[in-house]
Amino acid sequence: MEGIEKVSIGGKTPLSSALYNLILLARRERLRDRSLRIRAFLITDGKANVPLYGDIKDEIIRLGREIRRSNIELTIYDTRTSEIDPGISYIPLLSEAAGAKVYKV
């Protein structure tokens, strides 16, 4: 069995869209079972490249807060290869807003 280290990374998956869809999925599933405990695992470098509606930083905070309010247990696997990375990573901001645990891959 391969570990998380073997998961391929890279690409253009919009972070905001993934978070928004997580919230929608959680809401739908809780309509079926209100006692459902929802856990999500996000594998990302935290670089948000496509906003849903406007300012990426603002929407990451809003979506993170909604994840926390929705009682979704989020775990983030940080795929950045170094702390000296040329792009902005929203992992710290999302982690704080969502109350997520972060692990370095």
Side-chain angles (χ1 to χ4, degrees), residues 38-57:
I38 298 177
R39 298 178 68 198
F41 301 91
L42 178 64
I43 302 169
T44 184
D45 61 5
K47 294 178 184 175
N49 57 355
V50 181
L52 287 173
Y53 56 82
D55 180 66
I56 290 177
K57 182 178 178 181

Side-chain angles (χ1 to χ4, degrees), residues 16 24 60 89:
S16 295
L24 292 180
I60 294 295
S89 176

Side-chain angles (χ1 to χ4, degrees), residues 25-99:
L25 178 62
R27 286 179 183 164
R28 186 184 76 210
E29 293 305 312
R30 284 210 174 111
L31 286 174
R32 297 178 192 191
D33 182 353
R34 295 185 68 78
S35 67
L36 194 62
R37 178 179 176 204
I38 298 177
R39 298 178 68 198
F41 301 91
L42 178 64
I43 302 169
T44 184
D45 61 5
K47 294 178 184 175
N49 57 355
V50 181
L52 287 173
Y53 56 82
D55 180 66
I56 290 177
K57 182 178 178 181
D58 179 56
E59 68 187 28
I60 294 295
I61 293 169
R62 288 175 188 245
L63 291 164
R65 287 178 180 162
E66 184 58 32
I67 287 169
R68 184 185 290 248
R69 274 192 299 273
S70 298
N71 201 27
I72 298 168
E73 184 181 330
L74 179 63
T75 301
I76 301 170
Y77 291 93
D78 181 352
T79 63
R80 291 177 292 173
T81 56
S82 134
E83 289 302 318
I84 305 169
D85 198 326
I88 295 172
S89 176
Y90 292 98
I91 291 173
L93 194 64
L94 175 59
S95 172
E96 183 179 334

